[in-house]
Amino acid sequence: MPLPCRTAGLPPCSPRQPLPCSPRLAAWLTAPGSLTQRLRLTGHRLEVIRLAQGSAPLLPGEARDLGLRGAPPRAHVREVLLVVDGRPLVWARSVACARAVGGPWRALKGLGSRPLAELLFASPHVERSALRAARLAPASPWQRHLARQCRHAAPELAAARGVWARWSVFCKGGQRLRVLEAFLPAVGRHRTATGAARHLMQGPPRQDS
């Protein structure tokens, strides 16, 4: 029997207390809607670089958020880098169980290098849970995995004191898809979406990949 779309038991969206990070980073962590679309506003070219996709072990918290009982060791995982004007800014990991990618989320397998936002925000049948944000602890499985995946794009992660990330759960047809977005150190040096929008109005037209 499919799980209910309303992701009961997940913590609320916006943190009740201010996040202990810079205002610039906090704005990224709590921004509603499509992160991909916001990133498009910060430069001339957005690229989605697929790092890995297929059956892979689950990381802490994923089985719980997907509502998987018995903590199955593997699920369908897609990991990408979101790159703006040649600068890697965000690492994203999407996870769904085999039943989900064989059913309502089957399009995930054929997404290729297209943004996941095409599946998440174009359909009125997709529901989203509250956003959550946290710093990934330096010695955690999440931080170690992230550093390995981004060792060429962001080698500074090996010495980073934890990376800030946000995540939420999307539901379609009773099946869940968990999406985590980790903000790489370069985000702190990148222009904000608001400032970039003004820049783009005066600069050359944006080129979308």
Side-chain angles (χ1 to χ4, degrees):
M1 185 174 182
L3 292 165
C5 274
R6 301 261 177 221
T7 49
L10 296 182
C13 180
S14 302
R16 296 183 179 181
Q17 300 296 329
L19 293 172
C21 60
S22 69
R24 180 191 294 261
L25 183 53
W28 283 112
L29 289 166
T30 58
S34 169
L35 178 63
T36 301
Q37 183 57 34
R38 288 179 178 273
L39 288 172
R40 286 188 190 278
L41 294 175
T42 69
H44 300 297
R45 183 178 179 83
L46 171 75
E47 296 176 89
V48 178
I49 299 177
R50 188 172 58 171
L51 301 174
Q53 184 163 3
S55 179
L58 292 173
L59 291 173
E62 291 180 330
R64 178 200 63 211
D65 285 355
L66 292 176
L68 300 177
R69 296 169 178 81
R74 304 180 73 86
H76 187 87
V77 175
R78 179 178 185 260
E79 296 177 335
V80 303
L81 277 177
L82 301 181
V83 180
V84 177
D85 295 341
R87 175 181 287 178
L89 297 180
V90 174
W91 175 81
R93 175 178 165 102
S94 308
V95 183
C97 69
R99 179 180 296 181
V101 294
W105 294 109
R106 64 176 63 87
L108 181 66
K109 289 186 173 181
L111 200 57
S113 59
R114 289 180 292 137
L116 180 61
E118 293 183 10
L119 300 182
L120 302 181
F121 298 99
S123 171
H125 304 295
V126 176
E127 295 184 36
R128 187 182 195 179
S129 78
L131 271 170
R132 287 169 290 164
R135 179 185 288 233
L136 305 179
S140 68
W142 275 99
Q143 177 73 10
R144 293 197 299 268
H145 180 76
L146 173 60
R148 286 194 301 269
Q149 287 292 81
C150 299
R151 61 187 179 277
H152 299 302
E156 64 271 27
L157 283 175
R161 295 182 177 179
V163 171
W164 278 93
R166 70 180 205 168
W167 65 97
S168 59
V169 177
F170 294 83
C171 190
K172 182 180 181 183
Q175 297 294 330
R176 300 180 186 185
L177 171 69
R178 185 189 197 265
V179 179
L180 179 138
E181 297 152 331
F183 294 85
L184 303 183
V187 166
R189 304 185 296 272
H190 198 69
R191 65 172 69 93
T192 62
T194 302
R198 291 195 295 265
H199 170 77
L200 288 173
M201 291 176 63
Q202 301 172 354
R206 184 175 69 246
Q207 301 175 10
D208 292 334
S209 57

